[in-house]
Amino acid sequence: MVPPSGVTASSAPASAPFPLSGRTKASDHDPGHDPDGDLPRIVPRRHMTRWLTAATALLVFAMVVNSVVRNRAFQWDVVGRYFTTGAVLDGLLLTLWLTGAVMVLGFLLGVPLAVMRLSANPVLRTLSWGYVWVFRSTPLLVQLLFWFNIGALYPTLGFGVPFGPQFVTVQTVNLLGPTLTAVIGLTLHEAAYATEVVRGGILSVDAGQTEAAEALGIGRRRSLRRIVIPQAVRSIVPAAGNMLIGTLKGTSIVSVLAVHDLLYSVQLVYNQTYQVIPLLMVATLWYIAVTTVLSAGQSYVERHYARGAARELPPTPLKRLRLQLAALRARLHAATVSDARLPGGRR
């Protein structure tokens, strides 16, 4: 490279503030390396407000935990005694069965309804919209009570020719018991929400995927089944996981129908022993435990469907905990080193 006129290599100052070459020594950028003692040491900024906020939050948390643990009104010995009794475990199993059955049936009904919402057929689109509108507008408790008293409207149910004679008839009261009524009511309610979840997942897929399938001569149904829905699952899983946890907690409402779920089983016990608070704590702890397991499982499912869509898969709950602990140790180590390098503590 030719230097500018009037400037030669020998005319450059002997000690320039910046080196002429792009290479510098590692010691020039090391704030802790100062052989002559002339450069000021760089100390990380102290976030006192952040530490005070964290300390205050930990103090409040410790006070709450202490008040719960040391409060004798909770009767923790009674909680431990009834936590694994047969009646409570039977109610827990029924709650888990209701949750699984309602979620599976809800999505089996919600997927066709979502496809109908996106259909070009105005009749199917309107019927699907009307279903979602009705069941999302009505409280779940009202729906359950309505289905529980459906025998007042239809004393008998029959199978036969539409608008014609019936070949088989059955009494509604004998057909729909409390458990079956709860399954029907919860399924129809969850299907309305599953419809919107699936529809949102399908709409999240880029329209170019469908256009490319049409360009290759792939039919609409096959494109939806083999291309769109597999990609939409990645967006459906988080909302479906949220629905699953909501359904688990929502099953407690079937206790008004005398279905022996977890909450109703606990109520039967404390109606005899009058130990309301500890028995409610038993149900609460079981709900927390099951919700924690479902949340952890949801993270693994999301990680599975993130393959191919992300360069780096999201961390698992255990890995996320290890990373947070490692970051905390690194911050504590950095704070210790910076304190040791302050004036008066220089090594």
Side-chain angles (χ1 to χ4, degrees):
M1 179 180 295
V2 180
S5 59
V7 179
T8 60
S10 59
S11 63
S15 59
F18 300 99
L20 294 179
S21 62
R23 299 179 181 177
T24 58
K25 296 180 180 180
S27 60
D28 296 336
H29 296 285
D30 186 3
H33 181 81
D34 184 13
D36 301 330
D38 298 332
L39 297 177
R41 294 188 177 276
I42 301 176
V43 180
R45 179 183 177 184
R46 296 181 180 275
H47 300 276
M48 298 304 299
T49 305
R50 182 185 303 174
W51 286 103
L52 289 175
T53 304
T56 304
L58 288 176
L59 178 62
V60 173
F61 176 74
M63 293 172 61
V64 172
V65 173
N66 179 69
S67 66
V68 172
V69 172
R70 301 185 64 179
N71 191 342
R72 296 182 179 180
F74 283 101
Q75 303 181 38
W76 293 109
D77 56 336
V78 179
V79 173
R81 188 189 317 151
Y82 286 100
F83 192 72
T84 55
T85 56
V88 173
L89 293 180
D90 290 341
L92 176 64
L93 290 177
L94 182 58
T95 295
L96 296 177
W97 179 83
L98 273 177
T99 303
V102 167
M103 284 296 297
V104 172
L105 295 176
F107 271 91
L108 287 178
L109 181 58
V111 171
L113 288 172
V115 176
M116 291 169 60
R117 282 292 303 271
L118 299 173
S119 173
N121 190 325
V123 175
L124 297 180
R125 190 167 60 247
T126 303
L127 290 176
S128 177
W129 176 86
Y131 178 91
V132 174
W133 172 64
V134 169
F135 283 93
R136 287 204 308 175
S137 303
T138 311
L140 177 58
L141 180 59
V142 175
Q143 296 181 34
L144 290 176
L145 293 176
F146 179 84
W147 290 109
F148 190 69
N149 296 280
I150 193 68
L153 294 175
Y154 301 97
T156 60
L157 295 177
F159 176 78
V161 179
F163 306 105
Q166 296 181 349
F167 304 124
V168 179
T169 59
V170 63
Q171 295 291 327
T172 306
V173 177
N174 299 329
L175 181 63
L176 298 179
T179 303
L180 183 57
T181 301
V183 171
I184 293 175
L186 290 173
T187 298
L188 295 177
H189 177 78
E190 293 299 320
Y193 289 90
T195 300
E196 293 300 287
V197 169
V198 174
R199 184 175 71 92
I202 293 176
L203 293 177
S204 67
V205 180
D206 189 80
Q209 300 288 328
T210 305
E211 295 174 356
E214 293 177 354
L216 294 174
I218 301 177
R220 180 177 177 83
R221 293 183 180 178
R222 186 181 179 188
S223 171
L224 182 67
R225 186 178 69 256
R226 301 296 298 273
I227 298 175
V228 177
I229 291 183
Q231 297 183 64
V233 171
R234 187 171 62 253
S235 301
I236 292 173
V237 167
N242 190 36
M243 278 186 56
L244 176 62
I245 295 175
T247 303
L248 171 69
K249 296 182 295 183
T251 55
S252 61
I253 203 172
V254 302
S255 59
V256 300
L257 306 182
V259 178
H260 288 252
D261 69 317
L262 177 59
L263 179 59
Y264 189 76
S265 300
V266 166
Q267 289 175 337
L268 290 179
V269 176
Y270 72 63
N271 284 335
Q272 298 176 358
T273 62
Y274 301 102
Q275 296 170 323
V276 179
I277 297 299
L279 269 300
L280 288 179
M281 285 302 302
V282 169
T284 300
L285 292 177
W286 272 121
Y287 280 120
I288 292 176
V290 176
T291 301
T292 302
V293 173
L294 293 179
S295 300
Q298 176 186 345
S299 64
Y300 283 98
V301 175
E302 292 181 7
R303 178 183 173 88
H304 173 76
Y305 284 103
R307 296 181 303 174
R311 293 182 179 271
E312 183 178 357
L313 295 178
T316 62
L318 293 178
K319 185 177 180 180
R320 189 181 298 112
L321 179 61
R322 288 196 297 266
L323 292 175
Q324 291 176 353
L325 293 176
L328 179 60
R329 287 195 299 266
R331 286 196 296 268
L332 293 176
H333 178 71
T336 304
V337 172
S338 63
D339 290 340
R341 290 181 176 179
L342 287 175
R346 177 180 175 184
R347 294 180 179 178

